[in-house]
Amino acid sequence: MTIPLRLSSIDANSVKSQLQQPHDHANLRRFESTVLVHLDAAYNLARWLLNDPAAAEDAVQDACIRAFRFFDDLSGPSPKAWFMAVVRNTCIDSLRSNKHHNAAHEYDEEIDGIAGAQVHDNPEQIAVRASDARWVRAAIAALPVEFREVIVLRELEEMTYKEISVIVKVPIGTVMSRLSRGRDLLSQQLGADVKRVSP
């Protein structure tokens, strides 16, 4: 089952307009081709960490500005991992400064409705799929942050253990342990929900 997520309204052009410096077009083009190609993944991580689409967009915009400022210091296993670490740190800063608040989830047709529907699906199948996706998203969102972030990075963003290790600044063994524990917690939550609903 796929978990449809709405892509952010952030695009490379809006970020580039904030970063534009007349004397540095070559660096901007290199930043665009190396870092900005990962905007969707960055927004996805920010949205899961902050539980608020608007706050996630703000965090990604801030992360892009930070990343551009320190672009010459890019290091790690991949540019994506480096950028995702910047995004994660920006989200953590946002959470710590209490700028972020947990907004109630409003119904969004693109997220909750027919985003994952197939042409041949009937309305009942579409409704069941949307309900399942909401159920799994809610279970992931209920995980503690240290488990939720590694689940999102591994299962949704398909990042390697090494990349996740760099992003969350813990050893690979800790990443594997958090993934295992996060999967167990997710399984327990989903299993408990099924037991509650079953006759």
Side-chain angles (χ1 to χ4, degrees), residues 46-171:
R47 200 169 129 271
W48 279 107
L49 291 177
L50 299 174
N51 289 322
D52 179 353
E57 287 183 7
D58 291 345
V60 171
Q61 292 280 0
D62 290 347
C64 286
I65 292 167
R66 287 182 188 183
F68 186 71
R69 191 175 330 141
F70 298 103
F71 186 53
D72 292 333
D73 298 333
L74 187 143
S75 63
S78 71
K80 181 179 181 181
W82 177 80
F83 181 50
M84 296 293 269
V86 174
V87 171
R88 177 186 180 266
N89 292 339
T90 303
C91 290
I92 289 171
D93 290 347
S94 177
L95 289 168
R96 284 185 183 150
S97 68
N98 294 324
K99 289 181 189 174
H100 170 74
H101 63 284
N102 286 329
H105 175 73
E106 295 179 21
Y107 180 81
D108 184 323
E109 183 68 30
E110 194 171 335
I111 295 172
D112 301 321
I114 61 171
Q118 303 294 320
V119 174
H120 58 278
D121 286 348
N122 66 40
E124 183 179 351
Q125 290 170 319
I126 293 169
V128 168
R129 185 175 293 114
S131 176
D132 287 349
R134 280 191 304 273
W135 177 48
V136 172
R137 277 198 313 271
I140 292 171
L143 291 173
V145 172
E146 66 268 16
F147 302 122
R148 183 173 59 227
E149 69 186 354
V150 294
I151 291 284
V152 169
L153 291 169
R154 179 70 182 155
E155 304 301 341
L156 301 181
E157 295 303 328
E158 300 176 343
M159 299 191 83
T160 66
Y161 293 148
K162 184 176 182 178
E163 290 172 325
I164 296 168
S165 172
V166 169
I167 293 168
V168 299
K169 299 178 184 170
V170 297

